[in-house]
Amino acid sequence: MNHSFNWGRFWLISIPFIWLLVFFLLPFIIVVKMSLSDMANAMPPYVPTLDLTQGWSSLMEYLKQLDFENYSFLMDDELYVLSYLSSLKIALISTFLTLLVGYPLAYGMAKMPEKWRPILLMMVILPFWTSFLIRVYSWIGILKGDGLLNSTLMALGLINEPLVIMNTTTAVYIGIVYSYLPFLVLPLYATLEKIDHSLLEAAADLGASPMKAFWQITFPMSLPGVVAGAFLVFIPAMGEFVIPDLLGGSETLMIGKTLWEEFFGNRDWPLASAVAVALLLLLVIPILFFQRMQEKQQEANS
Amino acid sequence: MNPTRFNWFNATSLALGFGFLYLPILILIIFSFNDSKLVTVWGGFSTRWYVALFQDEAFMEAAWVTLRVALVSATFAAILGTMAAMVLIRAKRFPGRMLFSGMIYSPLVMPEVITGLSLLLLFVAIGLDRGYWTITLAHTTFAMCYVAVVVSSRLLSFDMSLEEAALDLGSTRLNTFFQVTLPIILPAIIAGWLLAFTLSLDDLVIASFTSGPGSTTLPMKIYSQVRLGVNPQINALSTILITLVAIGVVITSLLGKRQAEKEGKQ
Amino acid sequence: MADTPTSEPRKVFAPWLDPNQKPLVRFENVTKKYGDYTAVDNLTIDIFEREFFALLGPSGCGKTTLLRMLAGFEQPTSGRILMNGEDISKIPPNKRPINMMFQSYALFPHMTVAQNIGFGLKQEGKSKAEIDKRVDEMLKLVQLEPFAKRKPHQLSGGQRQRVALARSLAKSPKLLLLDEPLGALDKKLREKTQFELMSLQENLGLTFMIVTHDQEEAMTVSSRIAVMDKGIMVQVDTPAEIYEAPNSRYVADFIGDVNFMEVEVLRHEGAQIIVKSATLNEFKLETDSDLKDGEKVWLAIRPEKFIVSKEKPSDDQNMVQGKVWDIAYSGDTSTYHVRLEDGTTLKAQMANRRRVRNRDITWEDPVWVAWSYRAAVPLRN
């Protein structure tokens, strides 16, 4: 074996590593530090600021000024607790709704003749490449009071008064299901498509009706895809900003929106940072869980 | 799974599913040619919103900024992401490997508001003026993780004996990478580049945090208009963007198909 | 044959020869088409209870389609499939008293061995105690008791094969279909499993129908073999008949090794027929098939029917002269490739009774190749 130092390997690892340390990890440390600072009417709009030219004593002074005030504020003010809970609720319900829409779609795709499947797959991927913002925007024209949905339903005589969907949580559900549907369908389709057809034949051969075969074979075998897809919807939905901002109303509380308003509206950077840290803590469990699953999947594949 | 005979349940779920996915986009496109300013009333065919769009200097300016950011950040992301993928798949042991892979996978699931906020605070802390370059740096960082995932999945199925054969025939490691490994994983790198490019074009939240005066991106411009309600000019812009993306996706998938056929023949 | 009073001669199992026997399964003019492609062509065949029936043929000959129609996964385009006289074409696979062992085994990866074996019983709504009891029996039968709680991916290939077998037998089907059941096993294990399958079939008194492309396997296990080609059954007969009396060049060629020689029938001389090869001598032939003078036929001769010698053999048999071109040594036997005067080559197989280094025939040796009058089977094309 060659024991001389491998410079190529060193640089290969160091360059992306250092990049991520500087632009991913370091910013987080700053966010945590910021969440312990206080808001100020200055530029930058927070105190304390660290001035290392003043030496050791100033650092100690600086550390003394950091506190958990923002966090206790988060706990005390109903708005934040409610928006966490509401984010959780909205993310859970919309994940479930996405599953209801996405499972039959992925299943139908996997059951189509093989030559059709790449085209169907492309049709699922296509919206995913299209601007997220535009896709959310496209619902405004449909859902608003004098929008297409209401005018169609009224023209058909199904309703007399326009339905109020726009600027409600219902619109947010629709927006999330619509925007994240491909994220759920893709992994789910991949697992469903891999299920060996002879397993279903074997089940039928052993006396299982198509329904029983679905619940005993197809569904349990598709669970990894269901879980992966559900996480890919749930995690980003938790921190979603654009959808509640454009489609939701004032009663739609979501933590991503709260953070945005705290930062851009109130210019309270420390409090926004505290919200971010709290959101992250909330997401850490599902994210870690998801990563473990991904790694397991990779090991299984390799 | 094998196809079964025609089945009403499957046909219905496909029709409903794809109808749901495509109907809003279709409506958007149709109403971009609407002469009337109202979304619900068809006022006849017209291309006037397209004309208005191209005459709107603020839009064109924003489009130019977005394009520059996307091109540069996608290229950086492709290089850094490929390196990161090599590290993930090939370097099994080095100090901080757990941290490294954690940092690769985390941005994929990180709420954008957090990524945006944290990068902004970094740029403020190190005294970097916000503008074109800060957006580019931010986009490079989160896009490189996507590239890393795409390329590493290709590297996983890479036949190591090809590299061993090249080394056995006397090629240096660097030479082997450029002459054997790179050509084989290139389609994945290109796919990663395209993904990075689209993500950058698409991003509103991170750009909003990291941009400064004079560097408004297209999504930011769209967002500020859309907040005020439906706007036929945005419909026209959306139609153009959707068409471009559709053409891009069709071309890449055709290229991918040809590539797959080539590999299938070997 | 002298009968001794103490032992009756063992009755030969041949229900297909008995006109009073009712078949378990009858294919009646069954045709299966996929678009323009005819997979099974107007096929009629009876299969009887307790048979071990083998469908043999190259891939694409329609044998798997036949099996899948019986299991209910494919519908015949025309014709009927009867079981105990009843048309089962309309019955879905999950209601048929037929079970199948899949080529890929199709073991449910998310279930344990015991759950796999009990799957069919669970569908019938049997109680847990009943299922457990039957699963234990089946585990014992295939000697997998210690593996009940394992998942399929924790088993070896041979163990998986036995789980698949146990699962398909758990419901005591009237008919068990086996689709290339041993295809994934190595040669040694295959041979062992073939005998296990045979004794299982005999002891449980079941009817087995096996699809295979391996002619040796078909010969070993089955009571009757159907040799298939392009959707039709070319010959249906016992293994011995198929081997010794093939009815066509296709069957002769498909089963084992064979030499072909084109000859013209010259004349009948009592029980013997005199034939003449265009490029070689006249030969004598004793056969049951009735050949007409002047007819052109193919003689099929198995390599092991030849005797190769350096000395001229006795006169009461056919013989030709040639030169040893090549010798393929395979342990128990050697195959001699003998180049004849007309440039054709014969393959002759001889048992290696002596140590090879002592053998007296070697390359380039001039030799005689002899065969008895009954050894050659005449085949019309």
Side-chain angles (χ1 to χ4, degrees):
Chain A
M1 239 179 117
N2 183 3
H3 282 280
S4 71
F5 191 75
N6 186 338
W7 281 102
R9 185 173 186 272
F10 173 77
W11 289 118
L12 179 70
I13 296 172
S14 303
I15 293 172
F17 207 159
I18 289 170
W19 184 285
L20 287 168
L21 285 175
V22 172
F23 292 107
F24 187 75
L25 195 63
L26 182 59
F28 269 110
I29 296 167
I30 298 175
V31 170
V32 173
K33 187 221 81 176
M34 178 69 70
S35 72
L36 304 175
S37 307
D38 294 314
M39 184 185 169
N41 250 333
M43 193 63 217
Y46 55 89
V47 286
T49 45
L50 183 57
D51 186 3
L52 282 175
T53 54
Q54 301 297 313
W56 183 247
S57 60
S58 81
L59 180 67
M60 292 309 288
E61 186 61 27
Y62 169 78
L63 287 176
K64 259 187 222 155
Q65 284 191 49
L66 297 178
D67 54 46
F68 288 91
E69 203 183 314
N70 291 313
Y71 291 96
S72 53
F73 183 69
L74 286 188
M75 297 301 286
D76 290 343
D77 194 327
E78 245 192 351
L79 171 74
Y80 300 100
V81 179
L82 280 180
S83 39
Y84 280 119
L85 291 178
S86 155
S87 291
L88 194 64
K89 189 188 101 187
I90 291 175
L92 280 174
I93 293 178
S94 30
T95 304
F96 179 71
L97 293 175
T98 314
L99 203 57
L100 282 189
V101 179
Y103 202 104
L105 181 60
Y107 183 82
M109 282 169 64
K111 286 282 183 182
M112 282 304 267
E114 212 165 327
K115 60 175 178 182
W116 288 101
R117 286 186 225 158
I119 294 171
L120 294 175
L121 198 60
M122 202 178 79
M123 281 174 66
V124 173
I125 296 171
L126 193 62
F128 164 81
W129 289 87
T130 326
S131 166
F132 183 76
L133 191 57
I134 289 173
R135 281 185 292 143
V136 175
Y137 161 72
S138 70
W139 280 94
I140 298 178
I142 298 173
L143 296 179
K144 63 181 193 158
D146 56 348
L148 272 172
L149 182 68
N150 277 322
S151 49
T152 311
L153 290 177
M154 271 157 69
L156 291 173
L158 292 172
I159 51 169
N160 296 321
E161 299 224 330
L163 300 170
V164 182
I165 302 177
M166 190 60 199
N167 298 328
T168 66
T169 310
T170 313
V172 175
Y173 290 142
I174 294 174
I176 294 178
V177 172
Y178 182 70
S179 307
Y180 292 109
L181 190 60
F183 289 89
L184 183 115
V185 171
L186 291 178
L188 187 54
Y189 165 80
T191 19
L192 281 171
E193 201 225 355
K194 265 190 281 177
I195 297 175
D196 186 355
H197 185 64
S198 65
L199 293 178
L200 297 175
E201 286 186 347
D205 185 66
L206 294 165
S209 63
M211 204 61 175
K212 274 185 168 172
F214 174 80
W215 286 112
Q216 293 183 68
I217 311 294
T218 311
F219 187 70
M221 286 190 71
S222 70
L223 275 179
V226 170
V227 174
F231 272 114
L232 287 178
V233 177
F234 177 80
I235 295 171
M238 270 298 283
E240 187 51 54
F241 159 72
V242 176
I243 297 172
D245 188 59
L246 290 182
L247 299 179
S250 50
E251 105 272 0
T252 317
L253 287 175
M254 283 195 86
I255 198 68
K257 200 173 134 197
T258 311
L259 189 155
W260 181 283
E261 277 158 8
E262 215 55 72
F263 185 87
F264 287 105
N266 301 340
R267 289 184 60 77
D268 192 338
W269 293 14
L271 190 61
S273 301
V275 174
V277 172
L279 171 58
L280 202 62
L281 289 178
L282 212 69
L283 281 180
V284 136
I285 295 163
I287 287 177
L288 285 181
F289 194 84
F290 181 71
Q291 275 185 9
R292 274 290 303 280
M293 228 177 56
Q294 289 284 321
E295 274 162 24
K296 260 173 138 180
Q297 202 85 16
Q298 268 202 357
E299 273 165 31
N301 285 345
S302 62
Chain B
M1 268 195 200
N2 258 12
T4 44
R5 268 164 241 102
F6 183 81
N7 175 321
W8 278 108
F9 177 78
N10 292 341
T12 315
S13 51
L14 281 182
L16 286 179
F18 282 113
F20 177 65
L21 273 179
Y22 280 91
L23 211 57
I25 296 178
L26 212 63
I27 292 169
L28 195 73
I29 293 174
I30 292 170
F31 278 91
S32 75
F33 295 105
N34 187 5
D35 196 43
S36 159
K37 204 170 164 49
L38 299 165
V39 263
T40 42
V41 185
W42 181 254
F45 181 84
S46 156
T47 51
R48 72 179 175 124
W49 304 114
Y50 290 86
V51 176
L53 181 69
F54 282 104
Q55 285 167 348
D56 190 329
E57 269 179 34
F59 263 117
M60 299 317 280
E61 170 81 28
W64 178 229
V65 170
T66 310
L67 199 63
R68 268 160 53 214
V69 169
L71 283 173
V72 175
S73 66
T75 307
F76 278 132
I79 296 167
L80 285 167
T82 305
M83 291 174 85
M86 293 285 289
V87 173
L88 275 181
I89 303 300
R90 299 292 177 77
K92 288 293 171 216
R93 247 175 242 180
F94 61 91
R97 196 191 135 80
M98 280 286 286
L99 177 65
F100 185 84
S101 66
M103 288 194 299
I104 288 291
Y105 289 113
S106 301
L108 306 182
V109 286
M110 191 63 67
E112 289 169 317
V113 279
I114 298 184
T115 314
L117 176 70
S118 66
L119 280 163
L120 164 77
L121 295 182
L122 171 80
F123 296 141
V124 171
I126 59 177
L128 206 58
D129 275 340
R130 279 176 285 152
Y132 166 75
W133 277 107
T134 47
I135 306 175
T136 308
L137 282 175
H139 282 184
T140 304
T141 305
F142 84 91
M144 72 176 271
C145 301
Y146 284 87
V147 177
V149 170
V150 172
V151 175
S152 64
S153 69
R154 177 70 188 88
L155 274 174
L156 263 183
S157 61
F158 184 88
D159 182 3
M160 282 297 279
S161 63
L162 294 176
E163 276 182 20
E164 284 159 3
L167 292 171
D168 181 64
L169 294 168
S171 165
T172 63
R173 284 198 176 272
L174 202 62
N175 229 333
T176 304
F177 176 79
F178 282 106
Q179 296 195 3
V180 178
T181 318
L182 191 62
I184 293 174
I185 63 171
L186 196 61
I189 298 177
I190 293 172
W193 187 91
L194 281 170
L195 184 63
F197 183 76
T198 332
L199 287 169
S200 170
L201 278 188
D202 211 17
D203 168 63
L204 163 72
V205 176
I206 295 172
S208 298
F209 276 102
T210 53
S211 76
S215 59
T216 304
T217 64
L218 201 55
M220 288 165 70
K221 184 85 186 131
I222 295 173
Y223 173 70
S224 65
Q225 298 272 312
V226 161
R227 291 204 72 177
L228 306 173
V230 178
N231 174 337
Q233 208 167 307
I234 299 290
N235 284 5
L237 176 62
S238 305
T239 305
I240 293 171
L241 289 177
I242 291 167
T243 314
L244 287 177
V245 166
I247 292 170
V249 169
V250 170
I251 287 175
T252 42
S253 74
L254 286 180
L255 286 179
K257 209 174 147 191
R258 260 181 53 187
Q259 182 77 22
E261 275 165 12
K262 245 166 69 186
E263 274 169 24
K265 269 180 198 156
Q266 277 167 9
Chain C
M1 216 185 290
D3 271 358
T4 51
T6 45
S7 74
E8 286 285 313
R10 198 176 156 199
K11 223 175 141 193
V12 179
F13 174 74
W16 51 89
L17 297 176
D18 181 352
N20 296 323
Q21 279 278 349
K22 290 258 182 327
L24 176 66
V25 173
R26 163 170 282 176
F27 285 87
E28 211 175 78
N29 304 101
V30 171
T31 298
K32 176 68 185 178
K33 286 187 179 177
Y34 297 101
D36 291 338
Y37 177 72
T38 307
V40 173
D41 195 358
N42 193 23
L43 190 140
T44 300
I45 180 79
D46 286 346
I47 293 144
F48 296 87
E49 222 161 289
R50 304 181 75 115
E51 262 205 90
F52 202 137
F53 192 91
L55 292 169
L56 180 64
S59 55
C61 70
K63 57 189 196 297
T64 299
T65 308
L66 206 63
L67 205 68
R68 290 173 59 82
M69 282 197 284
L70 200 46
F73 301 131
E74 310 279 351
Q75 295 295 320
T77 313
S78 65
R80 297 196 303 165
I81 301 171
L82 307 172
M83 191 160 186
N84 287 326
E86 248 177 273
D87 189 353
I88 57 167
S89 310
K90 294 282 172 298
I91 302 177
N94 53 322
K95 304 250 163 64
R96 295 188 185 194
I98 298 172
N99 285 131
M100 177 148 160
M101 191 186 142
F102 288 76
Q103 183 174 12
S104 61
Y105 307 148
L107 296 179
F108 306 128
H110 58 298
M111 295 183 192
T112 63
V113 167
Q115 283 170 327
N116 263 287
I117 296 174
F119 186 88
L121 303 163
K122 199 176 148 200
Q123 307 311 311
E124 286 179 339
K126 288 238 162 68
S127 73
K128 200 180 169 301
E130 266 179 294
I131 296 175
D132 288 350
K133 188 167 158 278
R134 181 71 179 153
V135 168
D136 284 344
E137 274 173 38
M138 296 318 295
L139 284 169
K140 196 172 283 174
L141 185 72
V142 295
Q143 296 152 37
L144 282 176
E145 290 124 308
F147 301 98
K149 292 274 176 297
R150 296 253 189 117
K151 292 272 179 74
H153 69 91
Q154 297 165 311
L155 301 177
S156 72
Q159 289 167 339
R160 278 182 222 175
Q161 190 267 346
R162 301 217 296 277
V163 177
L165 185 63
R167 187 179 71 177
S168 55
L169 284 173
K171 287 176 81 176
S172 316
K174 284 188 187 167
L175 175 61
L176 180 69
L177 310 175
L178 304 115
D179 186 4
E180 304 269 5
L182 312 177
L185 305 182
D186 62 63
K187 196 167 186 289
K188 266 257 157 70
L189 195 53
R190 259 176 108 110
E191 282 170 6
K192 180 171 166 272
T193 316
Q194 282 168 6
F195 285 102
E196 282 176 5
L197 270 184
M198 285 160 70
S199 63
L200 207 63
Q201 187 256 349
E202 227 167 79
N203 295 339
L204 299 177
L206 295 174
T207 312
F208 279 18
M209 197 164 162
I210 186 175
V211 153
T212 177
H213 66 270
D214 178 345
Q215 40 112 354
E216 270 178 60
E217 184 169 295
M219 302 280 287
T220 311
V221 298
S222 56
S223 58
R224 273 198 302 168
I225 298 177
V227 182
M228 292 191 67
D229 181 33
K230 297 185 186 112
I232 57 171
M233 284 185 180
V234 184
Q235 187 172 6
V236 184
D237 231 322
T238 60
E241 282 296 302
I242 293 257
Y243 188 78
E244 300 288 347
N247 67 0
S248 62
R249 279 192 72 179
Y250 178 81
V251 173
D253 205 18
F254 195 79
I255 309 275
D257 239 338
V258 73
N259 295 286
F260 288 114
M261 202 183 280
E262 194 176 16
V263 294
E264 192 187 340
V265 179
L266 292 182
R267 59 188 180 277
H268 286 66
E269 279 180 5
Q272 291 175 343
I273 303 169
I274 311 296
V275 297
K276 162 110 181 61
S277 149
T279 49
L280 295 165
N281 350 347
E282 287 179 10
F283 302 118
K284 285 182 186 161
L285 190 62
E286 284 175 20
T287 176
D288 303 330
S289 46
D290 92 283
L291 301 174
K292 290 175 190 68
D293 292 353
E295 191 177 7
K296 280 210 165 124
V297 292
W298 290 89
L299 294 186
I301 312 167
R302 299 281 181 199
E304 73 275 10
K305 308 281 193 227
F306 286 130
I307 297 160
V308 185
S309 60
K310 281 167 111 173
E311 294 83 36
K312 188 166 191 258
S314 60
D315 262 344
D316 56 348
Q317 50 193 338
N318 293 310
M319 65 192 81
V320 284
Q321 266 183 302
K323 226 179 213 178
V324 175
W325 192 256
D326 207 349
I327 306 173
Y329 172 68
S330 53
D332 49 351
T333 61
S334 288
T335 304
Y336 298 87
H337 294 245
V338 180
R339 182 64 63 97
L340 304 184
E341 291 150 4
D342 67 345
T344 56
T345 309
L346 286 183
K347 271 190 278 181
Q349 195 180 49
M350 304 260 286
N352 289 325
R353 288 195 200 100
R354 290 211 240 157
R355 300 287 292 269
V356 170
R357 25 187 110 155
N358 304 336
R359 80 175 156 208
D360 43 5
I361 301 172
T362 183
W363 286 269
E364 297 291 324
D365 277 352
V367 289
W368 293 89
V369 179
W371 68 95
S372 73
Y373 300 145
R374 281 217 152 257
V377 180
L379 299 172
R380 293 194 180 92
N381 219 17

